Amino acid sequence: MRRHLASLTSRLVLTTVLLVLAVSVLIGTVTTLAVSDYLTEQLDQNVRALADQQRLPSPPDGDPGLDSRVFGATGTLVINLSTGQGTIVPRHGNVPDDILEALAGVPVDREVHTVEIPDEGTYRVNVTTGPSGDVAVGLPIDDVERAVSNLIWWEVLLALLATVAGGLVAAVVVRRQLRPLREVAATAEAVAARPLATGEVDLAERVPEHLTDERTEVGQVGAALNTLLAHVETSLDARHRSEQQVRQFVADASHELRTPLATIAGYTELARQRPDDSEVLTTALDKVEDESDRMTSLVEDLLLLARLDAGRPLEQEPVDLTRLVVEAVSDARVVDPDRRWQVDIPDELVDRPAVVSGDELRLHQVVTNLLTNARKHTPPGTTVTVAVRRDGFAVRDDGPGFPPDLVDHAFERFARGDAARTRGAEVGVGLGLSLVEAIVTAHGGRVTLRSQPGDTVLDVSLPG
């Protein structure tokens, strides 16, 4: 993370330096061209002024055919191309042939041309027609070139200084601006250093609030990291709860299986000790058979839960919910006549029964488990009513209700309250409501519990 951050700092600083250098070069180039053009134009104006003076009549005491009134500046060129006489200050007189040849190609117009004068250098020259013929006038551009050259050197020096200063300032500013990002990285590193593989994990680390302003880029990163950490913390908590539930589930299942196994072992030992007592043998075999049935049912319930957890599909056939509830309540009346079992069927369902799509065997198991739950955990004389509707049914009883500490955990596997859910000889102790929720959920439905003394309702909603 730090290497990447340093690399980002280096890239930003390098980008800033290159921008400063590019801007400096651009400004220097434009300035140089502008100054060069300006100085050259000034020089050209002076050359035209000289040319204008050569078109005037010469003073009486001037050189014949040559106006030298503007002479004086070193290097000033005034040459009569017709006579070959002229001046290149401070020298004057006959002009060498090579200079005349160089000037011979300059057109006679108002334009100023650049000419390379042998042994003298580069000149800006204008040829005009004077009283004594064609006259070439010019000024050297050495001063312009020196001025431009000095300007370029100053620009290079200033560009280097600006680049170095820009790099230093950029390094300071970039590091300062990336400091919040380093704080965000520190939070991520602190979380990464925590052991997250097992056990309960408390992710207390968060990006500070002042670094989560989503109006800034760093704030967006900080806010996103906090959201991620919250999601990870929730997922880890869920994983830990799942691990604890699995451990508890294994412990509870082992506990439930231990009792019938101990019973089988005890009666087997009793039968071995009294092999000649037919009554003892019969009793022992009956208990072994009962406990074997109990274990078989418990294992089958566990297997069904495992299959439902794995997402095994259930049958999807039309199921007459009204008939299914009536049959289950009729069976409950036979098994337990000490309670009042009632069915509430609205008039609209008499002629047109409630039909849902699902697995009839499993839905029958749902109704049976709910009625068994009411039978096991309510006193004799309790009224249990099953109200059928088109999208499901509700089982209501006027018993003592679920203990408050059990209401939120009633559908957990092997859930038990302090004062309810007494363990009996019935099969499936602790798994009845878990199976109900698993089967209803597998059908795409939902089961809820409302309980208070005198009014307990388990409501099952199923898709049509």
Side-chain angles (χ1 to χ4, degrees), residues 34 72 85 101 130 149-150 172 224 238 300 323 347 361 388 393 402 412 440:
Q85 297 291 313
E101 291 177 0
S149 178
N150 290 336
V172 174
E300 288 178 351
R323 178 181 58 81
D347 294 338
L361 180 62
V388 184
F393 61 92
F402 281 69
E412 295 178 3
V440 171

Side-chain angles (χ1 to χ4, degrees), residues 143-166:
D143 292 341
V144 173
E145 291 179 344
R146 279 193 297 271
V148 172
S149 178
N150 290 336
L151 176 62
I152 292 174
W153 280 110
W154 277 107
E155 288 172 345
V156 171
L157 178 61
L158 292 176
L160 293 177
L161 292 176
T163 301
V164 173

Side-chain angles (χ1 to χ4, degrees), residues 246-263:
V246 169
R247 293 190 183 99
Q248 187 63 41
F249 178 72
V250 172
D252 289 337
S254 301
H255 180 77
E256 291 294 333
L257 291 172
R258 183 174 61 181
T259 300
L261 286 173
T263 301

Side-chain angles (χ1 to χ4, degrees), residues 296-361:
T296 300
S297 297
L298 179 59
V299 171
E300 288 178 351
D301 287 346
L302 293 174
L303 180 60
L304 176 58
L305 283 172
R307 288 174 175 173
L308 293 175
D309 289 343
R312 295 280 185 90
L314 299 176
E315 293 184 7
Q316 296 294 323
E317 299 291 339
V319 178
D320 186 343
L321 199 58
T322 305
R323 178 181 58 81
L324 187 148
V325 169
V326 171
E327 291 177 355
V329 172
S330 299
D331 294 341
R333 289 196 185 103
V334 175
V335 174
D336 181 20
D338 294 334
R339 291 166 180 77
R340 292 188 295 274
W341 304 93
Q342 299 178 352
V343 180
D344 181 9
I345 301 177
D347 294 338
E348 63 179 13
L349 298 182
V350 174
D351 297 328
R352 185 185 175 191
V355 177
V356 297
S357 178
D359 188 320
E360 182 173 0
L361 180 62

Side-chain angles (χ1 to χ4, degrees), residues 44 52 92 147 163 194 201 205 226 238 347 353 368 376 378 403 430 457:
D44 290 349
D52 290 341
H92 63 276
T163 301
R194 280 181 168 272
V201 180
E205 290 84 356
N226 278 352
D347 294 338
T368 301
K376 289 166 53 181
T378 60
V457 179

